[in-house]
């Protein structure tokens, strides 16, 4: 197929005249072209310096677990959200040490606690365009052959990149197959918990306040990255030393005020703003309502288990938090897309684009639409079967072990991504942590929800292997689950790790009920995977035609384009901005500790800790008090463009100093992953002054304040 100039490059000249300061998750390489909008918004630095991810300030921004963080000292100290590090906090919570409720302060570095074995911090060290290498062997191919050619080329690039060791590499596509970039990241494996506020600060308001404004949460946690004495990444060891980052951010002393410049850098997950009108319609009409329903059912099961089983309540705390967040996000996304009339507007926009499209490009777009319709027809099945593995611990372990066994019989370059030699340390870490995240009765209850819904699907979406394994009726399902979990021995770490050793060698696994089940289910998963990859190969081949037509259409209208987010480093910029979500309702952009007291009921989730309430009553805010409000601020709003994965992203002021941490969006803006509406899109951040005050006056950590070079008063 004919390819034009890469979209990001062809649009560079348009950016300076058409970019909005509020909308856009920009690639760092695009930022020099945005110099004028950046300066108009108030940025005082050099936009050209933002183009290089290996130089300050962007080199201080790192991927932390499923979110973002940033280094704030030269000794590997980094800050992220409480909810991003929640799994680390939960992992270290045990009888007699409830770090979730009580928080944690390491008084010395020797007291810092190791994170769960699969927790990682990734430092981006290179971002290289590799489009020609990736697509060289794909030309003239279709379907699975196209997918395999792209996949094989990507794996070769990754293998060459990782040959030197100590780095984690990946290949990311921009504009759905139009361009490809190789991302090189230093993989830090020894991460330790340094400081976590109590739950009633870090998650003040919980689900009631989630995605809401005004907010009063101190959603932050400090971690520290360690390496071996040789300076190279290493597994946890008491002999390891703090990592020396390439750069770190200075914490701002002055706080934000309305109208101030704000810039955010982070690793947003996925956005869908450039998807087709049919995909928008499906999202509103079916996908989101289905997700809300299944998340509701899973949440109810975990909460029910926790009422009578304190151990299960602790073990599933992180999973429950994630499910609640995903459920509320899906519900908010649905409401927001409906409020903005996004499906209709996207349809009208696409109709205009298609009316201006001709020839081979139009034919490719027609083929794309047909493929998407085929995939949507199997959406319910794919959702449920994906959750069967993703929301379980023992069953996921069995499926992982069996798949690893099959993949290990192949040359490493031909193995599925996720099961290569490079992935085995992560697999081992996942298997080790099962003990602290699993309860048999709770896992069976979750599977009952998911597989019970699967049993109600129409015949066209059924998978014979799953029907044979779990039956066709609720009674057959209950009997099968009781038999499986009554007989399995995978509940012990020793049994899981003994099978891991065999799986790595491609050897038969010792008999077990769940292992035997996995041996029947994995071939069925492989058949579904083959169909998916065949479709994805053609989508990779055809979507660039749609993207090129869309970019040309938007350029004709004077609208700038940027690639949808895909977990690569992005930058957004704008201002501290108030919110007026409804008629006669207006919100200021900053909240204060007064709101903590007003909301406090003494009952979860508004059970502010006694030391916090006493400190507020005392009114000793020192240098962290807002000079205008004359009290301590807590959170603030901007119009920065964010989505999932931006949690923990540093919010910088005009001088590039850390003035806050992103942790949420308002309810009206949850749909921004699909549709940007400037009337409602706001991002919610913890004010760095609140963090400093807590460390100085409430749960003191003077050593951390000294390390970051900020006043202790």
């Amino acid at each position: 197929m004919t390819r034009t100039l890469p979209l990001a490059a062809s649009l560079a000249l348009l950016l300076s005249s058409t970019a909005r300061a509020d909308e856009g998750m920009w690639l760092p390489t695009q930022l020099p072209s945005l110099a004028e909008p950046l300066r108009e918004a108030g940025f005082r630095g050099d936009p050209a310096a933002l183009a290089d991810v290996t130089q300050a300030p962007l080199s201080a921004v790192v991927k932390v677990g499923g979110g973002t963080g940033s280094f704030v000292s030269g000794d590997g100290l980094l800050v992220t959200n409480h909810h991003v590090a929640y799994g680390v906090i939960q992992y270290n919570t045990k009888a007699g040490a409830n770090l979730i409720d009580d928080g944690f302060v390491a008084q010395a570095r020797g007291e810092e606690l190791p994170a769960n074995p699969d927790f990682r911090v990734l430092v981006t060290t290179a971002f290289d365009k590799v489009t020609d290498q990736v697509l060289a062997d794909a030309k003239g191919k279709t379907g699975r052959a196209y997918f395999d050619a792209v996949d094989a080329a990507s794996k070769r690039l990754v293998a060459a990149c990782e040959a030197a060791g100590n780095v984690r590499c990946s290949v990311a596509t921009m504009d759905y197959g139009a361009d490809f970039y190789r991302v090189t990241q230093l993989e830090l494996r020894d991460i330790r918990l340094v400081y976590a506020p109590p739950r009633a600060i870090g998650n003040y308001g919980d689900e009631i306040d989630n995605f809401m404004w005004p907010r009063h949460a101190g959603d932050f946690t400090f971690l520290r990255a360690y390496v071996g004495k040789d300076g190279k990444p290493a597994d946890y060891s008491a002999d390891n030393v703090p990592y020396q980052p390439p750069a770190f951010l200075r914490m701002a002393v002055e706080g934000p005020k309305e109208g101030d410049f704000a810039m955010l850098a982070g690793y947003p997950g996925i956005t869908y703003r450039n998807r087709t009108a049919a995909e928008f319609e499906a999202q509103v009409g079916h996908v989101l309502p289905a997700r809300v329903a299944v998340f509701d059912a899973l949440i109810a099961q975990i909460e029910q288990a926790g009422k009578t089983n304190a151990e299960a309540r602790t073990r599933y705390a992180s999973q429950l938090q994630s499910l609640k967040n995903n459920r509320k996000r899906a519900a908010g996304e649905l409401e927001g897309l409906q409020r903005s009339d996004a499906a209709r507007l996207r349809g009208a926009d696409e109709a205009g684009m298609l009316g201006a499209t001709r020839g081979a490009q139009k034919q490719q777009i027609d083929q794309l639409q047909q493929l998407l319709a085929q995939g949507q027809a199997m959406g319910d099945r794919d959702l449920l079967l994906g959750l069967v593995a993703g929301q379980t611990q023992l069953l996921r372990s069995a499926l992982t072990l069996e798949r690893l066994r099959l993949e290990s019989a192949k040359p490493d370059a031909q193995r599925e991504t996720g099961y290569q030699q490079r992935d085995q340390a992560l697999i081992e870490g996942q298997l080790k942590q099962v003990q602290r995240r699993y309860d048999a009765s709770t896992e069976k209850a979750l599977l009952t929800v998911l597989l019970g819904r699967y049993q109600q699907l129409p015949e066209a979406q059924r998978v014979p292997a799953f029907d044979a394994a779990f039956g066709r009726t609720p009674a057959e399902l209950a009997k099968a689950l009781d038999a499986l979990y009554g007989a399995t021995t995978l509940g012990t770490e020793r049994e899981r790790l003994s099978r891991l050793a065999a799986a790595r060698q491609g050897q038969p696994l010792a008999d077990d009920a769940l292992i035997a089940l996995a041996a029947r289910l994995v071939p069925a998963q492989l058949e579904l995977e083959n169909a998916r990859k065949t479709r994805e190969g053609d989508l990779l081949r055809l979507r660039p035609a749609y993207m090129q037509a869309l970019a040309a259409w938007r350029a004709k209208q004077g609208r700038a384009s940027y690639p949808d987010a895909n977990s690569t480093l992005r930058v957004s910029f704008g201002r501290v901005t108030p919110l007026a979500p409804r008629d006669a309702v207006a919100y200021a952009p900053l909240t204060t500790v007064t709101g903590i007291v007003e909301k406090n009921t003494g009952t979860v989730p508004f059970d502010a800790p006694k030391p916090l309430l006493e400190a507020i009553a005392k009114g000793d805010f020192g240098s962290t008090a807002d000079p205008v409000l004359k009290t301590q601020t807590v959170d603030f709003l901007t119009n920065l463009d964010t989505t999932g994965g931006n949690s923990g992203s540093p919010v910088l002021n005009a001088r590039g100093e850390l003035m806050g941490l992103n942790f949420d969006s308002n309810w009206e803006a949850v749909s921004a992953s699909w549709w940007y509406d400037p009337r409602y899109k706001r991002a919610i951040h913890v004010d760095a002054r609140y963090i400093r005050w807590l460390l100085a006056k409430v749960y003191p950590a003077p050593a951390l304040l000294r390390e970051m070079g900020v006043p202790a008063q």
Side-chain angles (χ1 to χ4, degrees):
M1 89 184 249
T2 301
R3 292 186 179 273
T4 61
L5 186 66
L7 293 177
S10 65
L11 291 168
L13 295 177
L14 293 170
L15 297 179
S16 61
S17 61
T18 61
R20 300 167 52 109
D22 46 4
E23 179 181 359
M25 298 179 191
W26 306 102
L27 291 168
T29 52
Q30 292 178 291
L31 294 173
S33 298
L34 294 166
E36 184 178 343
L38 275 164
R39 280 191 285 268
E40 288 178 355
F43 183 56
R44 297 181 188 176
D46 179 8
L50 300 174
D52 189 348
V53 300
T54 67
Q55 300 296 318
L58 295 188
S59 58
V61 182
V62 293
K63 190 168 178 60
V64 178
T68 301
S70 54
F71 287 111
V72 289
S73 90
D75 273 350
L77 184 69
L78 63 90
V79 65
T80 187
N81 285 155
H82 182 268
H83 77 264
V84 170
Y86 195 72
V88 177
I89 300 167
Q90 181 268 324
Y91 181 80
N92 284 286
T93 291
K94 53 190 175 183
N98 190 340
L99 274 59
I100 293 175
D101 285 344
D102 300 336
F104 174 75
V105 181
Q107 299 298 336
R109 292 188 183 177
E111 296 180 8
E112 295 170 358
L113 300 174
N116 36 300
D118 64 338
F119 195 80
R120 297 288 188 269
V121 168
L122 301 176
V123 184
T124 299
T125 59
F127 188 75
D128 303 306
K129 188 174 177 181
V130 291
T131 305
D132 291 342
Q133 296 98 305
V134 170
L135 295 179
D137 293 337
K139 294 176 181 177
K141 297 177 180 176
T142 62
R144 180 64 193 262
Y146 192 98
F147 179 95
D148 287 344
V150 170
D151 186 54
S154 299
K155 287 176 179 174
R156 286 195 298 271
L157 289 164
V158 166
C161 178
E162 294 182 348
N166 298 318
V167 294
R168 187 81 177 175
C169 302
S170 59
V171 173
T173 180
M174 300 295 169
D175 291 316
Y176 302 106
D179 268 328
F180 294 85
Y181 288 80
R182 181 176 60 192
V183 185
T184 306
Q185 296 174 308
L186 190 70
E187 183 180 46
L188 301 175
R189 306 192 299 273
D190 184 356
I191 311 301
R192 304 184 196 178
L193 181 64
V194 177
Y195 185 108
R199 169 200 51 78
I201 290 178
N203 191 27
Y204 191 64
D206 194 26
E207 284 309 298
I208 294 176
D209 267 8
N210 194 16
F211 295 120
M212 296 297 173
W213 184 261
R215 290 294 290 277
H216 299 86
D219 196 348
F220 74 96
T221 292
F222 286 94
L223 306 169
R224 193 183 303 278
Y226 282 79
V227 292
K229 290 183 177 179
D230 59 0
K232 297 179 180 179
D235 293 330
Y236 171 81
S237 169
D239 295 329
N240 285 348
V241 297
Y243 169 66
Q244 306 296 301
F248 62 90
L249 301 177
R250 298 285 183 182
M251 190 171 284
V253 175
E254 297 177 0
K257 63 181 183 298
E258 184 174 340
D260 279 357
F261 173 84
M263 181 171 69
L264 175 148
Y267 291 84
I270 302 176
T271 56
Y272 311 90
R273 296 177 188 172
N274 296 323
R275 295 296 180 99
T276 68
E279 288 172 295
F280 269 71
E281 285 186 19
Q283 193 74 1
V284 174
H286 183 76
V287 174
L288 290 172
R291 285 183 188 168
V292 170
V294 72
F295 288 154
D296 277 339
L298 293 173
I299 289 166
Q301 289 297 333
I302 294 178
E303 289 183 332
Q304 184 61 37
K307 289 179 180 178
T308 56
N309 187 334
E311 197 169 70
R313 185 165 60 249
T314 297
R315 290 180 177 181
Y316 283 83
S318 180
Q319 185 170 335
L320 178 61
Q321 192 75 7
S322 176
L323 281 167
K324 285 183 175 180
N325 188 66
N326 287 332
R327 187 266 175 214
K328 197 162 189 177
R329 175 176 290 277
E333 188 173 289
L334 177 60
E335 183 177 308
L337 289 173
Q338 292 170 332
R339 182 191 308 111
S340 297
D341 200 14
R344 184 187 65 80
L345 292 173
R346 185 70 186 90
D349 189 38
E350 182 178 274
M353 178 198 83
L354 293 176
T357 305
R358 300 286 185 274
Q361 191 176 59
K362 180 63 166 58
Q363 292 176 1
Q364 290 171 343
I365 293 173
D366 289 342
Q367 293 175 40
L368 170 68
Q369 304 281 25
Q370 294 170 10
L371 276 173
L372 291 173
Q374 294 171 13
Q376 289 168 2
M378 298 295 161
D380 288 336
R381 178 200 67 191
D382 293 343
L383 170 66
L384 292 170
L385 295 189
L387 290 171
V388 163
Q391 294 297 321
T392 58
Q393 290 291 333
L394 251 59
L395 179 54
R396 176 171 58 182
S397 296
L399 293 168
T400 298
L401 288 166
E402 174 62 14
R403 181 66 184 270
L404 178 61
R405 181 187 72 81
L406 295 175
E407 296 296 333
S408 295
K410 307 174 186 176
D412 193 57
Q414 297 177 20
R415 297 178 191 177
E416 178 67 16
T417 299
Y419 296 92
Q420 296 177 288
Q421 290 286 344
R422 64 195 290 269
D423 304 305
Q424 292 190 10
L426 278 172
I427 292 174
E428 182 173 357
Q430 290 167 358
L431 293 173
K432 284 182 176 179
Q433 71 173 13
V434 166
Q435 294 300 110
R436 303 194 192 185
R437 304 192 189 280
Y438 165 74
D439 171 74
S441 61
T442 305
E443 181 155 319
K444 285 197 296 181
L446 296 177
L447 283 170
T448 298
V449 168
L450 296 170
L451 292 169
R453 289 172 177 266
Y454 162 80
Q455 288 180 336
Q456 299 172 29
L457 293 178
E459 287 295 325
Q461 295 193 54
R462 305 297 290 256
V463 181
F466 279 81
D467 290 345
F470 299 109
R472 301 293 298 263
T473 67
E476 291 173 343
L477 173 59
K479 182 178 179 181
L481 292 176
D482 286 343
L484 288 165
Y485 283 84
T488 186
T489 62
L490 293 186
T492 66
E493 182 176 316
R494 181 179 62 83
E495 293 289 341
R496 293 191 300 275
L497 294 185
S498 68
R499 289 171 175 82
L500 174 62
R504 282 172 163 165
Q505 302 301 317
Q507 299 298 316
L509 307 182
D511 289 342
D512 178 86
L514 283 177
I515 292 293
L517 172 67
R520 302 198 302 273
L521 295 184
V522 168
Q525 290 181 321
L526 289 173
E527 288 185 20
L528 297 176
E529 186 177 287
N530 179 61
R532 174 181 60 80
K533 289 180 176 180
T534 299
R535 186 169 63 252
E536 286 185 2
D538 281 325
L539 291 178
L540 279 172
R541 179 175 59 87
L542 296 170
R543 271 201 199 266
Y546 185 92
M547 291 304 303
Q548 289 158 7
L550 186 63
W553 173 247
R554 289 179 175 171
K556 182 182 288 188
Q557 297 173 312
R559 298 158 57 194
S561 296
Y562 48 89
D564 265 322
N566 58 359
S567 295
T568 57
L569 185 61
R570 302 296 179 95
V571 175
S572 59
F573 61 96
R575 292 183 174 88
V576 179
T577 308
L579 172 67
R582 293 175 297 282
D583 181 44
V585 175
Y587 291 117
L590 283 87
T591 60
T592 72
V593 291
T594 299
I596 294 175
V597 177
E598 291 172 347
K599 288 181 177 178
N600 183 57
T601 63
T603 303
V604 177
F606 295 107
D607 53 338
K610 183 178 178 182
L612 175 61
L613 294 174
E614 290 175 346
I616 293 171
K618 188 176 180 181
D620 182 11
F621 303 123
S623 65
T624 62
D626 186 275
V628 175
L629 299 174
K630 307 298 183 184
T631 187
Q632 180 61 56
T633 54
V634 179
D635 298 330
F636 66 98
L637 281 178
T638 67
N639 60 1
L640 294 174
D641 199 353
T642 61
T643 191
N646 276 129
S647 291
S649 293
V651 182
L652 309 180
N653 63 18
R655 295 181 296 275
E657 298 168 331
L658 179 69
M659 67 175 180
L661 292 183
N662 183 72
F663 73 94
D664 206 357
S665 293
N666 56 306
W667 178 254
E668 298 81 7
V670 175
S671 56
S673 58
W674 282 80
W675 186 261
Y676 186 91
D677 191 329
R679 298 172 298 173
Y680 304 121
K681 178 65 183 87
R682 300 292 183 271
I684 303 174
H685 323 290
V686 186
D687 193 326
R689 293 175 295 182
Y690 184 52
I691 297 174
R692 287 174 47 214
W693 179 66
L694 290 170
L695 267 63
K697 304 288 187 180
V698 187
Y699 293 94
L704 291 185
L705 292 170
R706 288 194 297 271
E707 183 176 351
M708 292 185 288
V710 293
Q713 295 293 327

